[in-house]
Amino acid sequence: MNANFQQQRATKAFTDFISTPIETLLQRHHNTAGSQTVLTFFRDVAANVPAYQAFLAEKGINPATIQTLEDFQQLPAIAKENYIQRYPLSDLCRNGQLAECDMIAASSGSTGKPTFWPRFFTDELQIAVRFEQIFHDSFFADTRRTLAVICFTLGTWVGGMFTTSCCRYLASKGYPITVITPGNNKEDILRVVQELGGNFEQVVLLGYPPFLKDVIDTGLSRGVQWSQYHIKLVMAGEVFSEEWRSLVADRLGSQNPCYDFASLYGTADAGVLGNETPLSICIRRFLAKNPDAARALFGESRLPTLVQYDPSSRFFEVQNNSLLFSGDNGVPLVRYDILDTGGVITYDAMLEFLAEWNFNPLEALSTHTSAALSVQHSALKTQHSALSTQHLSRGIHPLPFVYVFGRSNFTVSYFGANIYPENVSVGLEQPAVQGWVTGKFVLQVQEDADKNRFLSVVVELAPDVEESEEKRQVITESILVQLLRLNGEFANYVPPEYQTPQVTLTATGDREYFPIGVKHRYTRR
C-alpha cells in the first residue's frame, strides 16, 4: 500500500466534499449518463478487485466484452452466498489490500456469524452527502444551531459509528452541528436532550423508528416538553406507516412531518443507498390516503419505503422484482442482490403518475411548507430574512425514486435488526421444548393500539399437547435465549424491555396460522 496514494486520495475527496455545495453535488448526475458511470465503475472493479476477477473468470466472462448497458445487465448478479462468502475478505477489496480500508463494520448473518464490511474515509464522505441532503434540505441545518444525538447502537454495528462520522463531516463543512453519542441508551438520550437541548435551535435524534418512539413516549411520561427542542428524526432499518409518522409528529409537536422526518434506505453492505426527502414524504403521505393509487403504482396494497437516490452514487436495477445495485465502497459491489423486493421510478414518471390521480406534490409541498416554516421561523426567534422561494424549493430535486418492501428472504426487521426464522427454530429445538411443538411457527412484528411494536411468535403445539401458561413461559424463554445467543443485531439493537417475544400457542393445524396441506411460511409482514 502506498501511503502517499492514501493521503492524496483522502485529501482530494475531503477537499471536494467541503468545497462543493450540496446543490452542485445533487446535480452531478445530469453531467454524466448513469449508464456511462456504471460501465466505468465495472471496468475499474474488474481490473482491480481480485475476487471479482475470479468471479468473472469462473463464469467465462471477458470484461472487455462489456461495452454497453445492455451488456452490463447480462452480467450475473452477485450476493452474499455466491460472492461475499466465497472469497477472502482481502480479495473483496481493491488490489487485494484490506489495509487500504481504515474501518470495518459487522452485520449478522442468518447463523449469527457476522459478515465484515470494510470501508475507507472516502466511502464515508460519499455517504455523508446523503446526510447533508437531509440536514440541508429538510432541517435547514446550515443556518440553525443543531444538536445531533446518535441513538443508533454503537460498536462494530454499522449504524452508530457510520452516522457519527457523517455528521461530523458536515460540521467540518461549516454546518453549525454538534454531535453527541449516547447510542441506544434511553436514559442517556433523555438526559442529553434535557440538559443540552436548550443550547441549540433544534435537536436531531438519529435511530431506529420503534426505539425513537419509545424514547419520545418515555419522555412524555416524565413530563419532557419535546416541542421546545424542535425535534427532528433521522431513521433507518424499518418500514413504518404514515399513521405512525403522524402519531409521532403529534407527540413531538411537529408542524410539518415532510420536513421534520427523514428515513434512510441503508445497509451494512454499502452504507446509505437512498433517503427520504420532503418530496418523497409528501408523495408517500398522499399514497397512504389513496390506497388505490398506491396499489396502481407499487403493485401491492402494503406501502413500501419510498426514497430518492443519486444515480451518480448508486446505480439501481430491478430483476424479478428484486433490487440490484452497483456502488463503490471498501468492498465494491457490481449488480449486488441485497434480497430486497422493490422497484425504481424516474422523477418524471412519478410526477406523471400522480398527475393522473390529480395530485401535484410540488404544489402541495410548497403550500404546506410555507405555513409550517412560518410558524417555525417565528418560534425560533432567529434573525433570518423572510422565507424565500429558495427555501420552499429545498427538498425538490429531479432525482429518481426507489421503493423498498423489505427483505425477500423471510426475515423480519425489528428495531433495525434482521431476525431470521432459523434463530427461532433453534429455540424450539431445545430439549425442554421440542416434545411439545411441531417446529412450525409464524414470526411477525406487530403493533399494539399505541403503535408500539412487539415481536410475535405463534407456535404450533404437537398433536395431543395442551396449552398451558407454564409451557408458554418455557417456550418464550427458550426462544429469547437463542435469539440473544445467535443474533448479534437482536442483542445489540433491541432494547431489553422489547426483546422478550410475545408467544401464542395454537393447536395442531390451526386454520389461521397452520392450515393443513398448505406450504408453511415462517414469517408474516
Side-chain angles (χ1 to χ4, degrees):
M1 180 180 65
N2 187 316
N4 287 336
F5 170 73
Q6 288 289 85
Q7 186 181 55
Q8 292 167 8
R9 182 181 166 203
T11 301
K12 181 182 183 305
F14 192 53
T15 301
D16 288 348
F17 173 74
I18 63 174
S19 63
T20 309
I22 183 63
E23 293 91 346
T24 304
L25 292 172
L26 293 176
Q27 292 172 0
R28 289 178 305 188
H29 68 285
H30 291 307
N31 303 326
T32 308
S35 57
Q36 202 55 51
T37 300
V38 79
L39 284 169
T40 301
F41 172 65
F42 162 76
R43 291 173 188 132
D44 172 56
V45 176
N48 296 302
V49 177
Y52 198 62
Q53 292 172 339
F55 177 80
L56 292 178
E58 183 181 293
K59 303 293 184 182
I61 297 170
N62 179 355
T65 64
I66 308 301
Q67 295 293 323
T68 66
L69 181 60
E70 290 70 26
D71 296 335
F72 177 82
Q73 291 173 331
Q74 297 306 309
L75 288 167
I78 61 173
K80 276 189 180 179
E81 291 73 18
N82 73 348
Y83 185 68
I84 300 298
Q85 295 170 353
R86 286 191 58 211
Y87 300 97
L89 185 58
S90 58
D91 284 0
L92 296 167
C93 302
R94 272 191 180 76
N95 307 311
Q97 293 292 322
L98 181 59
E100 289 188 7
C101 298
D102 62 3
M103 192 83 175
I104 297 176
S107 65
S108 286
S110 58
T111 63
K113 181 181 177 181
T115 300
F116 294 111
W117 300 102
R119 64 182 186 268
F120 185 56
F121 170 65
T122 54
D123 302 312
E124 293 184 338
L125 287 177
Q126 66 168 328
I127 302 305
V129 177
R130 304 279 69 78
F131 284 88
E132 184 177 10
Q133 187 179 354
I134 291 169
F135 275 76
H136 180 275
D137 287 355
S138 296
F139 303 160
F140 301 81
D142 55 322
T143 60
R144 297 175 183 168
R145 296 189 313 279
T146 301
L147 178 65
V149 185
I150 310 301
C151 307
F152 289 110
T153 311
L154 303 174
T156 60
W157 315 106
V158 70
M161 299 300 291
F162 212 135
T163 302
T164 300
S165 295
C166 290
C167 289
R168 293 193 75 188
Y169 300 148
L170 297 188
S172 298
K173 192 166 180 173
Y175 286 76
I177 294 172
T178 303
V179 183
I180 190 166
T181 56
N184 62 341
N185 185 313
K186 187 165 61 175
E187 296 302 322
D188 283 355
I189 294 165
L190 291 170
R191 184 171 67 253
V192 161
V193 171
Q194 292 177 91
E195 294 188 15
L196 296 177
N199 297 297
F200 298 86
E201 291 172 288
Q202 61 185 358
V203 175
V204 180
L205 304 179
L206 303 97
Y208 296 111
F211 178 69
L212 293 182
K213 181 179 180 296
D214 183 34
V215 170
I216 292 161
D217 288 348
T218 301
L220 286 173
S221 71
R222 298 181 187 178
V224 175
Q225 300 295 317
W226 289 110
S227 60
Q228 68 177 301
Y229 302 111
H230 307 288
I231 301 289
K232 317 292 182 186
L233 300 184
V234 175
M235 301 164 290
E238 305 275 335
V239 179
F240 52 81
S241 67
E242 287 305 319
E243 290 83 359
W244 184 94
R245 195 190 315 256
S246 294
L247 183 150
V248 173
D250 183 63
R251 294 182 181 180
L252 289 173
S254 165
Q255 298 294 323
N256 191 349
C258 292
Y259 278 82
D260 292 343
F261 291 71
S263 188
L264 304 168
Y265 174 25
T267 164
D269 314 46
V272 179
L273 304 176
N275 55 277
E276 281 192 327
T277 61
L279 180 61
S280 75
I281 295 172
C282 181
I283 292 170
R284 192 174 189 262
R285 290 176 76 76
F286 167 78
L287 294 169
K289 294 177 181 176
N290 296 271
D292 290 343
R295 196 174 298 112
L297 184 62
F298 302 126
E300 294 197 32
S301 55
R302 56 185 176 143
L303 198 62
T305 294
L306 179 67
V307 302
Q308 288 183 277
Y309 71 96
D310 181 352
S312 67
S313 173
R314 294 292 184 262
F315 185 83
F316 276 101
E317 303 170 75
V318 182
Q319 183 172 286
N320 300 324
N321 292 322
S322 289
L323 290 169
L324 306 181
F325 73 85
S326 302
D328 206 357
N329 205 40
V331 173
L333 298 170
V334 178
R335 305 199 80 228
Y336 185 66
D337 186 353
I338 198 174
L339 302 178
D340 279 341
T341 55
V344 175
I345 306 169
T346 67
Y347 179 83
D348 289 340
M350 177 66 85
L351 295 190
E352 288 171 11
F353 171 85
L354 294 170
E356 293 173 4
W357 291 83
N358 299 314
F359 180 63
N360 184 333
L362 305 183
E363 287 182 3
L365 195 61
S366 177
T367 301
H368 296 153
T369 303
S370 181
L373 290 182
S374 295
V375 171
Q376 293 181 14
H377 173 71
S378 172
L380 289 170
K381 294 183 174 62
T382 60
Q383 299 302 310
H384 301 168
S385 59
L387 288 166
S388 63
T389 305
Q390 178 190 357
H391 278 91
L392 294 180
S393 67
R394 288 198 190 200
I396 300 175
H397 299 284
L399 295 165
F401 295 83
V402 59
Y403 60 90
V404 191
F405 285 112
R407 292 294 165 92
S408 58
N409 61 342
F410 309 124
T411 63
V412 300
S413 182
Y414 185 54
F415 284 81
N418 290 317
I419 302 176
Y420 301 83
E422 295 88 337
N423 303 152
V424 177
S425 295
V426 176
L428 298 179
E429 293 163 357
Q430 299 304 304
V433 171
Q434 57 184 286
W436 297 338
V437 300
T438 65
K440 286 185 181 179
F441 60 90
V442 174
L443 174 68
Q444 56 192 332
V445 177
Q446 296 184 315
E447 285 185 345
D448 62 22
D450 200 36
K451 302 286 185 185
N452 291 313
R453 295 196 168 189
F454 62 91
L455 189 64
S456 165
V457 184
V458 181
V459 177
E460 184 182 51
L461 291 170
D464 301 321
V465 173
E466 294 185 0
E467 176 186 356
S468 72
E469 179 59 20
E470 179 186 359
K471 290 189 184 77
R472 196 189 68 80
Q473 289 184 4
V474 172
I475 292 171
T476 299
E477 180 64 17
S478 182
I479 292 172
L480 176 60
V481 167
Q482 298 307 319
L483 275 171
L484 291 170
R485 182 178 73 86
L486 295 170
N487 192 313
E489 288 183 353
F490 178 87
N492 285 276
Y493 288 9
V494 182
E497 62 267 35
Y498 287 89
Q499 289 178 345
T500 303
Q502 293 194 20
V503 171
T504 303
L505 305 180
T506 75
T508 307
D510 178 85
R511 289 185 178 180
E512 181 180 355
Y513 287 98
F514 309 104
I516 296 172
V518 176
K519 184 178 180 181
H520 183 60
R521 291 287 299 272
Y522 284 88
T523 59
R524 286 189 186 179
R525 293 189 176 88

